[in-house]
Amino acid sequence: MKNYNLVVIGAGPAGLAAAIEAKKSGVDSILIIERDCELGGILQQCIHNGFGLSYFKEELTGPEYAERFIDEAKDLNIEIMMDTMVLEMTASKELVLSGPERGIVEIKARSIILAMGCRERTAGAIAVPGHRPAGVLTAGTAQKYINKQGLMVGKKIIILGSGDIGLIMARRMTLEGAEVEAVVEIMPYSGGLNRNIVQCLEDYDIPLMLSHSVTKIHGKNRVEGVTIQKVDENLIPIEGTETHFDCDTLLLSVGLIPENELSRQAEILIDGATKGMIVDETMQTSISGIFACGNVVHVHDLVDYVTEEGQRAGRAAAKYILGQREEINEPPYSTHAGNGIRYVVPQKINRNSKSETLYLFMRSKDVYKDAELSVKVDGLEILRKREDNMVPSEMIRLKLDKALIPTDGKEIIISVIQGDQL
Amino acid sequence: MNKKMVCIVCPRGCNMEVEYKDLNKIIVSGNHCKRGKIYAESEIKDPKRIVPTTVVIKDALFDRLPVKTEKPIPKNLIFEVMKLINNVTVSAPVKVGDVIIENILDTGTNVVASKSVERVKFK
């Protein structure tokens, strides 16, 4: 059984950044495992511009962003196995891999960084009634067909879900000559960034139907149309609001789920709200020496934050491997989502560790204007911060000075304060 | 003229108010940085966008090469630019930044490769 100091699973932006950072921190014998036939993960099919504004201070396309990290990993001579799938992972850091070149291989690592990313929710996940005709596919699948293989998926398109991938695909399909009839969103607000509504929908006069959903797919062999209905405040379709749209394709942009099959195998603890692993501020999971970063922990909207998270995991894994990790015996602080907050990452914060600047990442449950975020430790408020505009589609990054947390504290709760509570 | 506008320069997407009587006196508010004002002015005088798309590539692992206009081009030329780009076929190898179409439609902007692609020989 071959031994490595560090095995990184996944060569998307999180895994690449993590491996590079670990190498730069002095770790040798690093292996990156990637199941696809090229590096860079989903960035390779995200050919649109808009990546890297905060990290590189310039606007790059997905492939350009990926290439910078791929080049760096290669320059650092980090070993990479492509076309290779990790089939098994144990808590004792033994892995079973499979690939066409090597067959089944068993390896052991001193430390592992999990960077498997996420998957799209599919038609099955949203249970739309009707047959299962050809022409229903996830926005990301359509994106791969068009941008990498040059295959058009349809001519008359309805997009369900207004997440960023859905918006980006509305523009992409239009540019390639398809007619995008509408983007349909069940919530009263869009799931994507404002800038994408402007440059992907408004630029091309594509209607965004908020508080609407697709309630029936017509057609048996191929999609022939859909029924769209308005929904009430409980997201229940309102009778009498049915409208028929002719279309040959329905694209779904209805959310992403962290891909944690391997993590579950190793019995790593998962957060029910993020569907990702529970991590501390160094990105260590519930198993010592196993770290995680990127969309496998929580779904991000900006790759720059994924990169930073990967780097944090890489530095922490390096410390672990080099025997420099501070051992703390006392149980960590735990963070919790209070009123108006859906989740908080990291879920654990170690005590007394001389860690880097502490950032808490979270999403709001609803749209809040002119509200404030309140951080309380065991009922005592330690921080208040104004947030002009909170929307569920935009991750909030809150900087927290660790010195503010009382040493005997236990629970850190973050809540939204609004209206007359202010 | 009063106009509401969402800035598309960065993911923050500032909601801006734009006020102007003539094009030399454009007052912008609501923007959190100076790029917002520059965007708003350009959006009123001469709206421009970067066009990211693909061209056909031979001898490569995938059949399409991602490309983009190096700089934003006038919005009303987007579909014309797409037509020209869709007529192009290149062959691997290609380096990121390689010029695929020079000075497209006399905009002063090149269409460049946004990915390096190695040559692959299929059996």
Side-chain angles (χ1 to χ4, degrees):
Chain A
M1 192 184 291
K2 195 163 179 196
N3 285 282
Y4 287 91
N5 273 330
L6 175 63
V7 169
V8 178
I9 305 178
L16 287 171
I20 290 166
E21 194 73 8
K23 179 87 183 187
K24 285 180 178 170
S25 307
V27 175
D28 273 318
S29 162
I30 300 176
L31 170 69
I32 306 178
I33 304 169
E34 170 56 49
R35 69 180 169 194
D36 205 346
C37 54
E38 70 174 341
L39 305 173
I42 212 70
L43 283 171
Q44 296 288 16
Q45 67 183 57
C46 298
I47 62 163
H48 52 281
N49 52 298
F51 299 93
L53 277 162
S54 112
Y55 190 78
F56 288 113
K57 307 285 176 239
E58 55 183 307
E59 188 170 42
L60 303 172
T61 62
E64 287 170 310
Y65 192 98
E67 194 162 321
R68 298 200 176 183
F69 289 93
I70 294 168
D71 286 349
E72 200 176 357
K74 287 183 177 162
D75 288 346
L76 290 167
N77 288 315
I78 297 173
E79 186 182 342
I80 296 165
M81 279 186 196
M82 289 213 274
D83 288 309
T84 303
M85 183 87 187
V86 179
L87 299 177
E88 279 173 39
M89 177 176 78
T90 65
S92 52
K93 307 184 187 80
E94 287 168 351
L95 301 159
V96 179
L97 326 174
S98 158
E101 267 179 49
R102 298 168 196 84
I104 300 237
V105 181
E106 286 178 66
I107 59 171
K108 189 165 169 46
R110 285 176 65 189
S111 175
I112 297 174
I113 297 178
L114 301 172
M116 294 90 79
C118 59
R119 259 205 297 264
E120 293 180 282
R121 290 176 76 209
T122 59
I126 55 162
V128 180
H131 288 284
R132 287 291 174 261
V136 180
L137 54 171
T138 60
T141 304
Q143 189 179 44
K144 184 172 184 177
Y145 280 143
I146 295 179
N147 292 348
K148 292 180 101 169
Q149 287 156 277
L151 302 169
M152 240 346 225
V153 297
K155 290 179 183 147
K156 218 172 165 128
I157 322 284
I158 294 278
I159 299 177
L160 175 59
S162 64
D164 285 312
I165 316 169
L167 302 177
I168 292 289
M169 282 312 291
R171 173 177 65 181
R172 186 73 191 115
M173 300 293 301
T174 308
L175 284 177
E176 291 297 353
E179 270 176 75
V180 179
E181 299 293 305
V183 173
V184 183
E185 169 61 56
I186 193 166
M187 301 304 288
Y189 46 81
S190 161
L193 297 172
N194 261 340
R195 69 190 304 225
N196 284 336
I197 294 175
V198 173
Q199 63 184 354
C200 298
L201 301 189
E202 289 173 13
D203 272 5
Y204 300 94
D205 298 319
I206 300 168
L208 173 61
M209 302 173 74
L210 297 173
S211 296
H212 281 76
S213 191
V214 170
T215 51
K216 194 164 169 119
I217 300 170
H218 304 279
K220 195 169 178 193
N221 295 320
R222 176 80 201 187
V223 173
E224 288 165 8
V226 295
T227 300
I228 292 174
Q229 253 175 296
K230 201 170 163 40
V231 299
D232 64 19
E233 59 271 25
N234 300 315
L235 311 183
I236 307 293
I238 301 168
E239 255 183 79
T241 61
E242 294 87 347
T243 317
H244 181 89
F245 282 79
D246 283 337
C247 63
D248 56 31
T249 303
L250 175 67
L251 296 188
L252 303 173
S253 172
V254 290
L256 302 165
I257 312 166
E259 197 164 330
N260 271 302
E261 283 74 12
L262 283 176
S263 331
R264 284 198 187 86
Q265 250 184 34
E267 296 184 354
I268 296 172
L269 296 181
I270 305 282
D271 181 331
T274 57
K275 309 269 187 286
M277 285 164 274
I278 291 175
V279 292
D280 69 12
E281 80 282 11
T282 71
M283 304 313 291
Q284 182 168 262
T285 66
S286 57
I287 297 179
S288 174
I290 300 186
F291 300 82
C293 51
N295 281 353
V296 78
V297 177
H298 57 138
V299 176
H300 293 64
D301 20 72
L302 301 178
V303 69
D304 285 337
Y305 288 174
V306 170
T307 298
E308 285 174 20
E309 211 171 272
Q311 292 172 333
R312 253 198 319 279
R315 279 193 293 276
K319 277 190 178 171
Y320 176 87
I321 293 161
L322 301 171
Q324 296 164 352
R325 190 179 164 91
E326 197 187 349
E327 284 308 323
I328 303 139
N329 294 321
E330 284 170 81
Y333 305 105
S334 58
T335 64
H336 297 274
N339 192 32
I341 298 290
R342 195 154 67 78
Y343 74 74
V344 183
V345 171
Q347 294 87 346
K348 305 282 172 200
I349 296 169
N350 293 305
R351 269 160 223 274
N352 306 322
S353 72
K354 296 175 231 87
S355 80
E356 308 154 38
T357 322
L358 193 55
Y359 285 104
L360 301 178
F361 297 86
M362 62 203 77
R363 282 183 196 275
S364 64
K365 276 186 183 162
D366 207 338
V367 177
Y368 302 106
K369 301 257 180 226
D370 304 318
E372 289 178 356
L373 281 176
S374 157
V375 182
K376 284 186 178 173
V377 179
D378 302 333
L380 183 79
E381 187 164 274
I382 58 163
L383 183 72
R384 233 345 147 92
K385 191 174 170 268
R386 189 175 166 78
E387 287 285 336
D388 295 332
N389 190 25
M390 283 185 263
V391 285
S393 58
E394 288 178 32
M395 192 191 284
I396 303 161
R397 183 165 80 154
L398 184 69
K399 195 172 168 181
L400 184 64
D401 183 357
K402 221 171 176 183
L404 290 173
I405 309 173
T407 44
D408 58 347
K410 287 186 183 70
E411 280 194 342
I412 302 171
I413 298 185
I414 297 114
S415 325
V416 176
I417 310 283
Q418 54 165 348
D420 49 12
Q421 294 172 298
L422 279 172
Chain B
M1 269 276 276
N2 270 359
K3 222 176 161 179
K4 281 188 194 295
M5 209 181 264
V6 172
C7 181
I8 65 165
V9 176
C10 88
R12 184 170 183 153
C14 291
N15 286 303
M16 306 189 293
E17 298 255 5
V18 186
E19 226 185 296
Y20 61 98
K21 280 199 188 95
D22 66 272
L23 292 181
N24 296 316
K25 260 195 197 159
I26 300 174
I27 302 162
V28 184
S29 57
N31 53 316
H32 283 85
C33 79
K34 57 183 179 213
R35 289 177 301 175
K37 186 172 159 58
I38 297 168
Y39 167 76
E41 286 174 355
S42 135
E43 194 64 8
I44 282 165
K45 291 178 189 163
D46 180 19
K48 288 182 172 180
R49 299 286 184 267
I50 284 177
V51 179
T53 179
T54 59
V55 295
V56 177
I57 184 165
K58 300 285 179 204
D59 305 323
L61 190 56
F62 295 100
D63 302 323
R64 290 295 179 277
L65 169 75
V67 299
K68 65 172 187 184
T69 57
E70 224 168 356
K71 285 176 277 178
I73 57 144
K75 223 168 118 176
N76 57 8
L77 294 180
I78 290 176
F79 282 97
E80 238 177 297
V81 161
M82 279 298 296
K83 233 184 239 169
L84 290 175
I85 292 176
N86 279 344
N87 286 329
V88 171
T89 299
V90 299
S91 289
V94 173
K95 276 301 250 181
V96 66
D98 281 359
V99 174
I100 305 297
I101 303 174
E102 225 170 287
N103 185 20
I104 193 158
L105 287 176
D106 275 326
T107 52
T109 299
N110 297 328
V111 174
V112 296
S114 43
K115 181 179 178 176
S116 301
V117 178
E118 284 170 29
R119 190 180 166 82
V120 178
K121 278 258 169 93
F122 292 101
K123 287 158 209 155

